[in-house]
């Protein structure tokens, strides 16, 4: 199982590192990352494997949402089943 994590906000040092730490603490394996900075706005999309999470998916979501609040970024976590359903014609 996989999940998509998106991060948006003002660019600062260490965003990727901080999100990666939360993923590692939850045993979510990062498969792919794309990021860019548009003027001073940071955007990142991560694909993570959530097959072996320490707890459940909601805990990963809550940890990342809390991180987003702490660092002033908008972090969204979506299970791949929801993502696929949204983009299925």
């Amino acid at each position: 199982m996989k999940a998509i994590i998106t991060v948006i906000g003002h660019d600062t040092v260490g965003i990727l590192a901080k999100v990666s730490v939360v993923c590692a603490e939850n045993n979510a394996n990062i498969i792919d990352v794309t990021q860019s900075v548009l003027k001073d706005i940071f955007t990142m999309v991560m694909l993570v494997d959530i097959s072996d999470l320490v707890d459940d998916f909601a805990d990963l979501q809550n940890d990342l949402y809390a991180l987003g609040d702490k660092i002033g970024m908008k972090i969204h976590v979506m299970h791949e089943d929801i993502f696929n359903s949204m983009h299925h014609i």
Side-chain angles (χ1 to χ4, degrees):
M1 293 187 302
K2 296 179 184 72
I4 294 89
I5 300 170
T6 58
V7 181
I8 299 173
H10 290 286
D11 189 29
T12 60
V13 174
I15 299 167
L16 176 59
K18 291 171 186 167
V19 174
S20 296
V21 165
V22 172
C23 288
E25 290 171 347
N26 284 274
N27 206 37
N29 185 38
I30 299 168
I31 298 169
D32 200 2
V33 177
T34 183
Q35 64 182 21
S36 64
V37 179
L38 308 170
K39 296 204 179 199
D40 67 337
I41 302 299
F42 176 89
T43 62
M44 179 171 67
V45 179
M46 299 177 106
L47 179 64
V48 296
D49 183 342
I50 57 170
S51 300
D52 298 319
L53 289 179
V54 172
D55 291 311
D56 60 17
F57 182 68
D59 289 327
L60 173 64
Q61 284 180 309
N62 291 334
D63 290 349
L64 286 166
Y65 295 156
L67 173 64
D69 289 342
K70 180 179 177 183
I71 64 174
M73 306 285 288
K74 176 64 179 166
I75 300 178
H76 184 74
V77 187
M78 184 181 300
H79 195 283
E80 76 172 324
D81 291 343
I82 301 298
F83 182 84
N84 290 335
S85 293
M86 290 174 51
H87 296 92
H88 181 68
I89 297 177

